[in-house]
Structures are given as structure tokens and as C-alpha cells.
Amino acid sequence: MFEGILVGLATVLTIQNLLLVFAGCLAGTLIGMLPGLGPISAIALMIPITYALDPASGMILLAGVYYGAIFGGSTSSILINAPGVAGTVATAFDGYPMARQGKAGKALTIAAYASFAGGTLAAIFLVLLAPYLAELSLGFRSADYFMLMVLGLSLVSAFAAEGEHLKALLMTILGLMLATVGTDLTAGVQRFTFGRMDLIDGISFLLLAMGTFALAEAFMMVLKPSQSANNSLPTTDLGLDRQEIREIAPVVGRSSVLGFLVGVLPGAGATIASFLAYGMERGIASTADKAQFGKGSLKGLAAPESANNAACTGSFVPLLTLGIPGSGTTAILLGALIAYGIQPGPRLYIDQPEIFWSVIVSMYFGNMILLFLNLPLIPYIAKLLTIPRTFLIPLIGFFSLTGVYLVSFNPFDLQLMLYIAVCAVILRLMTFPMAPVLLGFILGGMLEDNLRRAITLSDGNASFLWERPTTLCLLVLTVIALMSPLLRMLMKSALKGFKDKQNASRL
Amino acid sequence: MTVYITYSRAIGVLFLCISCFYLYFGHQIQLDFWSEGEVFNARSMPYLIGVSGILVAIGLIFTPTKASATDAPHEWQELKQLNWIPTIAFALIIGLYGLSLEYLGFIVCSSLFLFCSSAILGERRWLIMAVLSIGVVSAFALLINWLGIYLAPGDLWMGWLDV
């Protein structure tokens, strides 16, 4: 293994390759900041450029672009509440409130450090555990996936205030409903399209994310001008003190492990990892810390950031060891590898170790250069928020609308996005959380596919839910997550009754 | 006993109606004859979601809320104090942007959108508004062009070019 790492280091540590990873990170960050252009688009745009390079250098450039685009997505989530890709939705929950409190610089710094730490830990896991995890991920069946999705959905309570879990549940169901719009690809029939051609492909994630977050936020800033005035606060506070580092360090460690493991599963990816990490951290936080989630919690920002980066690295496990792309981005990378004449799979490690190791080492270098590149840029990026609101709000509207239009080139999507944003504003004014809508929407399609497969394989028998130990474990965790608000309420009332009794007996 | 119409209850009632409609339209999904006998078909998931929606909406309507006799009307009063007129105007501008984008073309339509939105929000430095609107949109269009994404110039200008 050490020989392999040395081979990788020898490949990466040339001036040309270091410059390539630097250029990749910079280009990826800039492209990723634009709503609508995520890692997939960024890598796809860069592939033609890499044809002029040798395979190892090409992969090094693409790895830089990949990490840069993810960090760029986090930047737009934090600064303008516009998560351009699903993996950075959870970053906006606490990143954006921090930016509104004048802590945009600190939020970006935490995002950079958490991403770096998540990527580093995941790279170590990748080196040590890749072959074993690949085997394990193949043992994950549709019933397990289904329960994993249900577990993800049951974590909606993480997005609800105390006593408002039903609201979060209702919003999740709304997201699930929206996910069923369009053509059912398995059966080939249209659902809820009402005869409109524009809805045949369903509602895009980007449209929903931009409508419920970015455009709705722009409306809220117009509706409540006094609240948006905070955006002009100076953003000089960039560093983290020891107390803050001590606070987020365990969060980063836990979320990285979780993110990496979820990333290893084909199809699960950074989105589920970031939501699960956010839910897990909120679930185990103390009552005082829990109240801070959604209002600018450092833990709430660090958890999804480290998890999504770790999941991105984890998604390379099935790609490099089995030749199976676990996500859209790794599918594009697989295409690039095949175009170079390299076939990823079990033989890659033996036949072309320099490629295998240079990809792993360059991923780590990509992370490191991203940190060195972005830390000095953060004060300038954060200054974006000091733009007067009379210009900032139209710019948020413009980038959200353009991001959606550039994906479909269909003006109907802009109208639909406006309706969604108006509904989101009404729901937000009535204190309904918006994050569960996106969570339900993202998981809805995968949930249906896996449920369909599991039920069909078990011939309509629900026993698939408890027949396998993995499914059963996930089922138990889901029941605990769903029942926890009720159990907490019962425990509180029991404790109160006990205290009242004690006081009465003392009197 | 007085039942107060709180935000939660109002949305609960609305969502109950939406879930019923969803379930009804879910039942209308056309199935192929061989899909009807399947254990899980295109209607199954909408049934599950629709029924769950109805149950949760009923739960939300009938769950006792913390709202007191003074809270419920106060919730609705708060809405009246918001800045509605510029918000509606901003929404209309977005609607118009969507409708005229293909006709006017990306650069003209987007520049007008930025200019008018700033004006609605109270900005009166006309020169800065014009420079910023045209500058941002042109820079963005150049970037998009550099990335190889084609932006049509707009039906209006295409018509002129034809002439």
C-alpha cells in the first residue's frame, strides 16, 4: 500500500499536475457557485480539455474540479440561500442564518475546514477500507435501500421546532407528492401531468430548490426589509477560536464516518449523507445546542459539509474497485476513464496502480489546495453580501431564474418556479419548514423504486422489512426516530408529574 | 368551546383538500392491462402518499395548539404589516420575465428585469442601475457562451434580422 501511495505521490507532485489541480479547484469553485451548474456540469465541461493530457493528469484536473464545484455550491448556499446542487441543501440550513447574522466569513471558513477534514478522513478510509467496503456495498439490497430512505425521511423531526413535528411530516409528504409528478419510468405512464407536455419529465430538483429557497428568500427579503438589513453587517470575523474548534471537531469526525459509509453505497450519495449527518447531530445535541439548529449553529453547518465531502470520496469506492458509478458525478468520471482507455474495476489496482493511486492522492491534494485557495478568498467572497439590498435581491432573483432556465430552456419552468416560490413564502410565513419538502422530493423517486423492487421480489409480502438483519436494524432505527418526539414528550410529562408529587409530599 | 383558526389548522384543511384531490387523480392514472394485477404499480405510491397526507392533515387540524384566544387573531394581524405591494410587483416582474424571455432574448430581457426590480425596491440611481444591469447580464452571457451553452437572441430580433 505504501508503495502505491508513493507511486501516487510521484505522479501528482510535478509542477504541471499541481498547477492542474489548482486550476481545477479554481474553475470548479467558480462554476459551482453559479446556480444550476454543479459538479456534473463542471466535470462534463472540463472533459474535452483533459483529452490533451495524459490519463493521470486528466484525472487530477477532474478531481480538482469536482471538489471545487462542491465547495462553490456550498458558497452560494451560505451566501444567498441558493443550493445549486442537492448535496449542499443542508449546508444552507445553518450557513445562511449565519450569513444573515454577519458571520458569512466564519460560515465559509467552517465550510472550508469541515470539507477539508471530511475529505481527508474519507481519503484515509478509502485507502484502508476500499476493497472490503466494496464487497459490503454489493450486499445492500433494495429492501435495505428502502429502509435507509425511510430512515432519512423520518429524520424530518430534525427540521421542526419543538412540538411542530406534524408540520415537518406534512411538508415531507408534499415533497413526496411533487416527486411523483411526471412519467413513471418503470411503467411508462404519466402521473399528475394534467396533459401538459412541460410536466412529462417531472419537476426538476433545481427548480424546486431555487423556488423554495433562493427565490422564496428574495421574496422574504422584500416582505420584511428590516430583517434583510442585517446583510450589510461587516464580515470581518473569519477565524475560529479554540472553543469553536473543540465544539465542531467531534461533529466533523462523526459526520465524516457517516458520510463516507453512505457515499460507498451506490445511489445513496452526498445528499442523503448530508441530511443524515444533520439529523444525527441535531438528535444527539444537548437541549441548548438543539435550539440553535436552523438559527446559525456551527455544528449544523459543519455536519453536512464534512458529510457531503466524505460521501463524495466514498462514492469512488465502488467506482475504482468494482467499476460501478455510485453517483451521477462518478458516472461522468467513469466515462472519462473509459475514454482514456482505462477500465475501472477489480483489475485496475493490479494492472494500472499508478492511475488508481494517483486518483486517490490527487483527490487528497485537491482538498488541500482547495483549502489554501479558498481561505484567502473568503473575505472577498463574503463581501458579496455587502451589496445594497436594492441590487442584491434582483441579483438573487436573476441567478435563480437563469440557473433554472439554462438547464431546461423552457420558460414554463420559470412560471412554475414563481408559483412554487409564492407557495413557499406563504408556508414560511405560517412557520412551516421548507427543508422537508426537498428531502421528500429527493428521496421520493428512490424510495418508490426500491419499494417496488422489494415488494415485487417478496411477491407482495411485507416480510422483507424484517427478514434481513440490515433491514431490521434500519427499521428499528426508523421507529426510534419517529417515536422520539412522542417519547420525549411522555418522559417530560412523567418527570413533571414526579417533581410535582415530590413537591406535594414535601409540603 | 371556541375553535381558533390558526395557521396550522388553515394549512391542515388546505392540505386535506390537496391530499383528497391527489388521491382522486392518483386513482385516475392510466394503467396498462398487465400492470393492473401487479403487486406494485404506478398507482401504488400515490395511494400510500395520499392516505398518509390525509392522516397527517387530520392530525394537524385536531392537534391541540398552544395558540390562545389572543394568539390566533394576532397571527393573521402580523401578515397585514408586511411589505406586500413591492413583493407583488416583484412577483409580477418575474412572471413577465418568464413570459417575455424567448421573445425579447436573454440579454435585453434580463437587463430589463434587473433594472425594473431595483426600481421597485426603491433604488433611484438610474445610471448605476443601467450600468449594473447591462454589465452583469453581458458578463454572464459571455461566460455562458464561453462554456459552450447557446442562448437564442430572441424572436423579436430574429424577426428583424430576417427582414
Side-chain angles (χ1 to χ4, degrees):
Chain A
M1 183 196 297
F2 288 106
E3 268 179 42
I5 295 172
L6 286 176
V7 168
L9 278 173
T11 317
V12 173
L13 288 176
T14 61
I15 292 173
Q16 183 204 326
N17 287 346
L18 284 175
L19 280 174
L20 280 173
V21 78
F22 182 85
C25 284
L26 187 65
T29 307
L30 293 174
I31 296 173
M33 277 171 75
L34 300 172
L37 297 175
I40 296 181
S41 333
I43 291 174
L45 289 165
M46 287 291 163
I47 284 177
I49 298 170
T50 62
Y51 283 150
L53 305 166
D54 64 89
S57 302
M59 287 311 291
I60 287 166
L61 177 69
L62 295 181
V65 172
Y66 187 19
Y67 283 105
I70 294 163
F71 184 77
S74 303
T75 308
S76 58
S77 283
I78 290 168
L79 295 183
I80 57 170
N81 204 19
V85 284
T88 59
V89 170
T91 304
F93 299 157
D94 283 285
Y96 183 66
M98 280 184 78
R100 293 194 63 176
Q101 292 158 16
K103 296 179 192 163
K106 183 171 268 185
L108 289 168
T109 309
I110 292 173
Y113 280 129
S115 299
F116 173 70
T120 305
L121 288 172
I124 295 168
F125 298 146
L126 179 65
V127 170
L128 298 175
L129 306 170
Y132 314 104
L133 286 170
E135 214 170 287
L136 196 77
S137 77
L138 277 186
F140 227 68
R141 297 200 188 151
S142 47
D144 307 329
Y145 275 109
F146 168 70
M147 276 319 300
L148 183 71
M149 309 291 160
V150 179
L151 176 65
L153 287 179
S154 67
L155 290 172
V156 286
S157 54
F159 310 107
E162 192 68 35
E164 299 205 323
H165 304 284
L166 274 179
K167 284 184 176 179
L169 213 54
L170 198 78
M171 290 296 98
T172 313
I173 292 171
L174 182 63
L176 288 171
M177 284 179 176
L178 292 172
T180 56
V181 175
T183 307
D184 175 18
L185 292 176
T186 313
V189 293
Q190 288 178 32
R191 301 189 295 192
F192 309 105
T193 56
F194 306 104
R196 278 207 77 112
M197 288 287 283
D198 306 294
L199 287 174
I200 281 180
D201 286 335
I203 299 168
S204 79
F205 158 77
L206 188 71
L207 190 155
L208 193 67
M210 289 295 154
T212 51
F213 278 74
L215 200 56
E217 188 58 42
F219 280 130
M220 291 298 284
M221 285 163 85
V222 186
L223 268 176
K224 296 179 175 177
S226 55
Q227 284 186 14
S228 62
N230 285 350
N231 280 342
S232 54
L233 284 172
T235 51
T236 48
D237 185 17
L238 300 179
L240 295 171
D241 58 38
R242 273 190 186 173
Q243 174 63 29
E244 287 169 334
I245 293 171
R246 224 174 287 150
E247 195 184 328
I248 61 168
V251 177
V252 169
R254 283 191 295 267
S255 305
S256 303
V257 175
L258 177 74
F260 180 75
L261 292 175
V262 175
V264 168
L265 303 172
T271 315
I272 297 176
S274 59
F275 276 105
L276 282 175
Y278 188 86
M280 179 181 81
E281 283 309 323
R282 192 184 183 272
I284 60 173
S286 64
T287 316
D289 280 350
K290 201 175 279 179
Q292 284 303 308
F293 274 75
K295 295 173 189 162
S297 161
L298 303 186
K299 290 180 178 177
L301 173 62
E305 266 304 294
S306 34
N308 75 18
N309 239 34
C312 290
T313 308
S315 65
F316 277 83
V317 172
L319 175 73
L320 293 176
T321 54
L322 301 167
I324 299 170
S327 63
T329 316
T330 45
I332 294 263
L333 284 172
L334 174 69
L337 281 170
I338 292 170
Y340 290 133
I342 299 160
Q343 182 59 54
R347 300 283 311 168
L348 180 69
Y349 179 75
I350 302 153
D351 295 340
Q352 287 163 306
E354 74 284 358
I355 302 289
F356 182 87
W357 289 107
S358 66
V359 169
I360 291 176
V361 174
S362 65
M363 271 162 34
Y364 184 67
F365 269 79
N367 256 310
M368 209 151 66
I369 286 184
L370 192 66
L371 187 73
F372 293 134
L373 175 78
N374 284 312
L375 281 179
L377 287 179
I378 283 172
Y380 304 102
I381 299 172
K383 278 214 172 105
L384 204 85
L385 291 183
T386 56
I387 297 172
R389 62 183 290 279
T390 47
F391 293 117
L392 184 66
I393 297 171
L395 283 174
I396 294 174
F398 167 68
F399 283 113
S400 320
L401 291 163
T402 313
V404 170
Y405 180 72
L406 289 179
V407 173
S408 63
F409 290 97
N410 185 356
F412 171 80
D413 280 0
L414 301 184
Q415 302 295 332
L416 185 62
M417 186 178 160
L418 175 64
Y419 303 142
I420 288 174
V422 170
C423 293
V425 168
I426 294 167
L427 287 166
R428 278 177 66 169
L429 287 173
M430 300 193 168
T431 66
F432 279 76
M434 279 297 108
V437 180
L438 279 188
L439 184 65
F441 183 81
I442 294 165
L443 297 186
M446 291 189 267
L447 188 85
E448 187 178 4
D449 286 345
N450 288 297
L451 178 62
R452 187 195 302 263
R453 219 170 294 142
I455 283 192
T456 310
L457 286 172
S458 67
D459 205 18
N461 197 333
S463 60
F464 70 87
L465 291 172
W466 54 81
E467 265 176 354
R468 286 163 43 79
T470 319
T471 328
L472 186 65
C473 282
L474 290 167
L475 176 68
V476 171
L477 283 174
T478 308
V479 172
I480 292 171
L482 278 173
M483 299 302 284
S484 62
L486 195 70
L487 290 174
R488 221 175 293 143
M489 214 167 69
L490 287 173
M491 269 174 69
K492 256 187 193 171
S493 62
L495 266 175
K496 204 182 161 209
F498 179 68
K499 274 183 187 167
D500 288 348
K501 248 186 198 173
Q502 267 193 335
N503 288 340
S505 64
R506 262 184 218 156
L507 287 170
Chain B
M1 194 183 79
T2 319
V3 176
Y4 297 104
I5 306 292
T6 57
Y7 286 162
S8 304
R9 290 208 171 107
I11 294 292
V13 171
L14 183 71
F15 201 78
L16 183 64
C17 300
I18 291 173
S19 299
C20 291
F21 276 116
Y22 181 82
L23 210 54
Y24 170 74
F25 286 111
H27 188 68
Q28 303 296 313
I29 295 169
Q30 294 291 318
L31 294 179
D32 302 317
F33 69 91
W34 56 82
S35 300
E36 296 208 18
E38 277 180 359
V39 187
F40 194 101
N41 57 37
R43 283 181 193 162
S44 309
M45 197 67 182
Y47 282 159
L48 279 174
I49 297 170
V51 172
S52 312
I54 289 173
L55 292 176
V56 176
I58 290 172
L60 197 67
I61 295 165
F62 292 104
T63 304
T65 55
K66 289 176 192 166
S68 64
T70 50
D71 280 348
H74 181 69
E75 273 187 350
W76 297 101
Q77 279 296 323
E78 275 177 3
L79 289 182
K80 288 183 185 168
Q81 292 160 6
L82 298 172
N83 216 4
W84 285 107
I85 294 171
T87 311
I88 292 167
F90 186 48
L92 286 174
I93 290 279
I94 292 173
L96 280 174
Y97 178 71
L99 289 174
S100 56
L101 186 59
E102 292 206 326
Y103 183 68
L104 290 177
F106 180 78
I107 293 181
V108 174
C109 195
S110 301
S111 303
L112 281 173
F113 167 75
L114 283 178
F115 189 87
C116 297
S117 307
S118 293
I120 284 168
L121 295 171
E123 187 58 59
R124 292 295 177 265
R125 289 173 287 179
W126 306 112
L127 188 66
I128 296 176
M129 284 159 67
V131 170
L132 193 90
S133 308
I134 298 166
V136 167
V137 175
S138 306
F140 189 74
L142 276 174
L143 175 71
I144 293 298
N145 192 37
W146 180 71
L147 291 173
I149 301 168
Y150 174 72
L151 285 170
D155 295 345
L156 176 68
W157 318 114
M158 294 284 266
W160 278 15
L161 288 174
D162 282 347
V163 171

